[in-house]
């Protein structure tokens, strides 16, 4: 059977939805299809950050079209990411539910920092730079602006940042009726400068040697400079100031008549230019080049050609573990126990938990003590908070939230009703992972490196995934009475939850 050789990336942006399909030819990525729909999702957000029904409908209709082209694609050959608007939308679940009815692939909402990392990756795999360069990348989207800075040949940036300023949202905020005037432009520019104020000194101290800009706004600036006769297309401070002067001569967005500026781009170009100008000036950039490669290329690199997605998350987990001085030996023992129990659990049920969810169980086992530095009594809450609010490269929003949720309920009482809604994961899977994690951590409470896992047998009550019997070897119990006491307490926590049961059998 011939191997399927097409891959697809779908990017649900605040301004437009993009689908790109590529195949591998002699080890190289060859783009074979592109589709872009201007959805203006960000314009559908009200003052409470709730998406309107009409914007949800526009998005779902677009995804239904994309689904036709993706018919027959294996799920592992498709990655769909959503950015700023779905990050901030309080009713994002409505969009995700509407999308699920017409679009069979999971939608990952990624954090701003993760978006910045992927933009940097996409740009750096395409652009030629020196191993001694300090590289700056900026991407101005419809709802947010991402910045990443890295050094040398390392594809992982040193700094990633995302700020809530985009060409769609700033048009709405500063340019009423799409009228152009110097006061509105200056207000938008100053607002952009204010957004990055806290980063300016840190970035300047890194001494940027090469800068790249991606996205529609910077592409339009680059193309207009070419229209104006700037042969190399490089954006400098003087060229940018001249362009702004030209643009401010127009009265409204639709009057702008540069040949390369499309009708759609006219709707958001001026606000994007103001954001870019504010950042360019605040950071004292001398020159910036346009790069056609950004988020989608970064996703393709990981999907097809680069180090696999899981490796990046493993590196993240290890880095976090070292940063918080976690007891590595103990963490490894808890991970080993979780793998042992998960294997027994999986053998007894026809339900299959996908490997990417199983991996999150093991990262939760590895990282459950990141909050120990704060204090022990509420370690589950402290660790959960850290994991929920840290920048975790490689994790999308729901993966990060699941990691945080598992750790939150690894000990003490469990509030089932407080478990968040997930669109990517099934509730029954999450419950089983919580149970396995709790038992794995509990039987390692004494931090005994010599614990014999063969002394434990995990058994499921038929057709009842949440009712577990733990059989323990008699000899083990005689030498580890504290573990038995901990398990008796654990039984009480389980008893308070409807349809949960933990039974202990000594054999």
């Amino acid at each position: 059977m011939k191997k399927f050789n097409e891959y697809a990336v779908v990017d649900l942006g605040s301004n437009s939805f993009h689908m790109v399909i590529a195949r591998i030819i002699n080890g190289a990525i060859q783009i074979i299809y592109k589709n872009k729909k201007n959805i203006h999702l960000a314009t559908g957000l009200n003052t409470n950050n709730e998406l309107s029904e009409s914007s949800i409908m526009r998005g779902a209709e677009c995804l239904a079209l994309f689904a036709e082209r993706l018919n027959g694609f294996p799920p592992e050959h498709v990655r769909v990411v959503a950015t700023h608007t779905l990050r901030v939308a309080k009713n994002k679940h409505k969009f995700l539910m509407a999308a699920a009815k017409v679009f069979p692939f999971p939608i990952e909402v990624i954090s701003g920092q993760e978006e910045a990392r992927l933009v940097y990756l996409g740009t750096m795999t395409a652009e030629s730079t020196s191993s001694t360069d300090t590289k700056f990348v900026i991407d101005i989207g419809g709802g947010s602006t991402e910045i990443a800075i890295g050094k040398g040949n390392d594809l992982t940036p040193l700094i990633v940042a995302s700020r809530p300023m985009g060409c769609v949202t700033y048009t709405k905020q500063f340019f009423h009726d799409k009228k152009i005037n110097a006061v509105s432009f200056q207000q938008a520019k100053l607002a952009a400068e204010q957004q990055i104020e806290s980063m300016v000194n840190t970035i300047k101290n890194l001494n940027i040697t090469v800068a790249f800009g991606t996205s529609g706004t910077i592409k339009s600036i680059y193309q207009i400079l070419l229209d104006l006769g700037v042969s190399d297309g490089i954006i400098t401070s003087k060229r940018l100031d001249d362009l702004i002067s030209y643009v401010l001569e127009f009265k409204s967005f639709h009057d702008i008549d540069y040949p390369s500026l499309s009708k759609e781009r006219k709707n958001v170009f001026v606000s994007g230019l103001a954001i870019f100008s504010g950042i360019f000036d605040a950071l004292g950039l001398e020159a910036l080049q346009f790069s056609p490669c950004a988020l989608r290329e970064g996703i393709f690199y990981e999907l097809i050609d680069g180090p696999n997605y899981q490796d990046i998350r493993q590196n993240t987990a290890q880095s976090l573990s070292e940063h918080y001085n976690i007891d590595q030996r103990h963490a490894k023992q808890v991970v080993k126990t979780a793998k042992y129990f998960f294997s027994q659990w999986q053998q007894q049920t026809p339900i299959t938990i996908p490997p990417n969810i199983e991996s999150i169980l093991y990262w939760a086992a590895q990282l459950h003590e990141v909050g120990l530095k704060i204090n022990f009594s509420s370690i589950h809450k402290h660790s959960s908070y850290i994991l929920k609010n840290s920048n975790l490269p490689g994790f999308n929003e729901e993966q990060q939230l699941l990691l945080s949720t598992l750790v939150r309920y690894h000990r003490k009482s469990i509030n089932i009703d407080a478990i968040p809604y997930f669109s990517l994961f099934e509730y029954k899977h999450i419950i089983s992972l919580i149970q396995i994690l709790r038992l794995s951590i509990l039987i390692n409470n004494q931090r005994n490196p010599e614990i014999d896992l063969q002394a434990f047998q995990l058994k499921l009550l038929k057709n009842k995934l949440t009712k577990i019997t733990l059989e323990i070897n008699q000899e083990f119990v005689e030498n580890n009475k504290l573990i038995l006491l901990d398990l008796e307490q654990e039984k009480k926590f389980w008893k308070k939850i409807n349809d949960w049961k933990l039974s202990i059998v000594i054999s």
Side-chain angles (χ1 to χ4, degrees), residues 444-456:
N444 286 286
N445 271 352
Q446 312 308 315
R447 298 180 182 261
N448 181 356
E450 307 302 325
I451 194 166
D452 178 16
L453 294 179
Q454 300 302 319
F456 297 88

Side-chain angles (χ1 to χ4, degrees), residues 439 442 470 472 483-491 504:
L439 292 174
L442 185 146
L470 200 60
I472 312 176
I483 290 179
L484 193 61
L485 285 174
D486 287 342
L487 284 166
E488 289 298 329
Q489 177 59 48
E490 183 69 3
K491 282 168 66 174
I504 309 297

Side-chain angles (χ1 to χ4, degrees), residues 7 71 114 260 299 313 333 335 373 410 458 472:
Y7 296 82
N71 186 30
E114 178 64 1
S260 60
I299 296 169
R313 293 181 296 170
Q333 183 61 31
V335 172
K373 270 189 174 180
H410 83 255
L458 184 147
I472 312 176

Side-chain angles (χ1 to χ4, degrees), residues 369-384:
E369 288 192 334
V370 292
L372 191 56
K373 270 189 174 180
I374 301 171
N375 71 38
F376 176 74
S377 64
S378 294
I379 183 176
H380 51 306
K381 295 178 183 178
H382 301 317
S383 294
S384 176

Side-chain angles (χ1 to χ4, degrees), residues 435-446:
Q435 291 185 332
I436 291 168
L437 181 64
R438 288 178 72 93
L439 292 174
S440 302
I441 292 170
L442 185 146
I443 70 165
N444 286 286
N445 271 352
Q446 312 308 315

